[in-house]
Amino acid sequence: MHTMWKGSISFGLVNIPIKLFAATEDKDIKLRSLHKECRSPIQYEKKCTNCHEEVAPEDIVKGYEYVKGKYVVLTDEELKQLKEEQEEKSVEIVDFVQLKEIDPIYFNRSYFVGPGDNGTKAYTLLREALRQTEKIGIAHITIRSKKQLAILRVYENCILMESIHYPDEVRNAAHVPGVPEGTEVNQKELQTAISLIDELTTSFAPEQYEDTYRIAVMDKIKEKIDQNEGVAPSPTAGPREDVIDLVSALQASIERTKAPKKQEAEKAIKPKGAEDKKRKTSRKKASEAK
């Protein structure tokens, strides 16, 4: 596993060097958008919504919209300073509670916690203390410049840390529209529903559940590969207008080069008599002028 964070856990006077590892991974199938005609990937330009011009990376700044259409700009230097001020490399346990006291709606992301250098003994001590007391630790941690609330609990033989939402990040369920008031239901229907729940009640075995859509998409992809339906960008893919312009420019250059040579050739093949006649006419005009 790739170490994504290094620091320490502190509770009381105990300090435990640790490493964090992502406990979950996103297995969604990533599909790219391609040009239907030539099968090349589509690029998306960053354009200003006001002047509609394409914006270079160095001309992009971060801003916070405090009212509609008005922004406060934060410079890279300001954000860097704030990050350095908040980047504490420690997990500070502030309380111990029972896991059942926390509703799952608060849970956000999971991380495996492993011992750091010389931290094995203290790590084992915390793990066994959590296991025997059946408690979890409530802690503060800063990850990627964001201070988060987290819990520490035992998972199998490892300490697991789960970041959890702050109370003001969880929306009020009372604001959900259309939720019926009261609990009046038909008792016969209720007993039938309870019986159905009892029939379907079992022990949780996560391995029996699978993402059937992802499996179906991968099967279809493999089927297309086996049938040699894989595609690659067409050799002619690209800005055809530029190619045409380039050919036109080259052709024009060739014609421009040919023109002086053509004129010289025409001069070389003119009849000698014509040149003599032209010179005699010039002399006659000059004599008459005198």
Side-chain angles (χ1 to χ4, degrees):
M1 288 186 179
H2 172 69
T3 302
M4 58 170 296
W5 190 90
K6 289 182 180 180
S8 62
I9 294 176
S10 63
F11 68 105
L13 299 177
V14 179
N15 190 276
I16 310 169
I18 62 163
K19 298 176 182 178
L20 288 189
F21 307 88
T24 59
E25 59 181 323
D26 181 6
K27 290 211 169 183
D28 284 348
I29 298 172
K30 294 178 174 58
L31 301 176
R32 294 197 63 180
S33 297
L34 306 178
H35 184 194
K36 182 179 179 180
E37 183 177 345
C38 64
R39 302 297 193 265
S40 297
I42 300 298
Q43 292 182 339
Y44 295 94
E45 299 175 342
K46 293 183 179 180
K47 287 190 175 182
C48 174
T49 56
N50 181 40
C51 61
H52 306 293
E53 293 183 359
E54 188 174 353
V55 183
E58 60 269 18
D59 293 326
I60 298 176
V61 296
K62 301 292 185 183
Y64 175 78
E65 188 175 20
Y66 60 98
V67 294
K68 188 67 175 178
K70 290 189 176 182
Y71 303 86
V72 170
V73 174
L74 295 171
T75 66
D76 290 340
E77 291 74 18
E78 290 171 330
L79 292 172
K80 181 180 179 182
Q81 182 179 353
L82 291 171
K83 178 180 178 180
E84 291 173 349
E85 291 174 356
Q86 297 296 321
E87 195 71 32
E88 296 181 18
K89 293 292 185 179
S90 66
V91 181
E92 180 188 1
I93 298 178
V94 292
D95 291 304
F96 290 93
V97 300
Q98 291 185 328
L99 179 60
K100 65 182 180 181
E101 296 180 56
I102 303 177
D103 192 278
I105 195 173
Y106 284 92
F107 297 154
N108 186 11
R109 193 163 184 188
S110 303
Y111 304 90
F112 288 132
V113 180
D117 297 337
N118 301 317
T120 304
K121 184 176 180 180
Y123 178 94
T124 305
L125 174 65
L126 175 60
R127 183 190 63 193
E128 295 310 310
L130 291 173
R131 196 197 303 274
Q132 292 190 29
T133 59
E134 298 182 346
K135 299 288 178 65
I136 64 172
I138 304 293
H140 291 293
I141 181 174
T142 301
I143 299 178
R144 298 188 182 96
S145 305
K146 181 183 178 182
K147 191 168 186 178
Q148 300 181 49
L149 199 59
I151 67 165
L152 291 164
R153 65 184 180 91
V154 178
Y155 174 79
E156 296 183 356
N157 202 39
C158 182
I159 294 177
L160 181 75
M161 186 183 80
E162 293 184 88
S163 59
I164 61 176
H165 295 289
Y166 285 102
D168 60 352
E169 293 178 317
V170 178
R171 292 179 173 177
N172 193 334
H175 296 165
V176 179
V179 176
E181 298 288 341
T183 57
E184 292 185 7
V185 294
N186 182 287
Q187 289 299 312
K188 185 176 181 180
E189 294 175 344
L190 178 60
Q191 290 302 319
T192 302
I194 292 174
S195 297
L196 178 59
I197 291 174
D198 290 339
E199 285 291 328
L200 295 175
T201 298
T202 184
S203 298
F204 179 58
E207 62 276 2
Q208 70 177 331
Y209 306 104
E210 58 186 16
D211 186 344
T212 55
Y213 173 74
R214 175 164 58 88
I215 293 172
V217 172
M218 283 306 304
D219 287 343
K220 176 60 68 174
I221 290 172
K222 290 176 182 177
E223 178 186 328
K224 285 180 171 289
I225 292 173
D226 293 340
Q227 295 175 356
N228 294 321
E229 293 187 30
V231 297
S234 169
T236 59
R240 297 181 180 179
E241 295 80 3
D242 292 347
V243 174
I244 294 172
D245 290 344
L246 179 59
V247 172
S248 301
L250 290 172
Q251 189 62 43
S253 299
I254 293 171
E255 294 298 331
R256 195 178 299 116
T257 304
K258 285 181 177 180
K261 294 180 179 179
K262 185 177 181 182
Q263 292 174 1
E264 291 177 5
E266 289 175 351
K267 288 180 181 179
I269 62 174
K270 281 184 179 179
K272 186 176 180 182
E275 287 293 327
D276 292 342
K277 185 178 179 180
K278 185 177 180 181
R279 281 196 292 270
K280 288 178 180 179
T281 304
S282 298
R283 289 197 200 100
K284 184 177 180 180
K285 288 181 179 180
S287 299
E288 291 175 353
K290 289 179 181 179

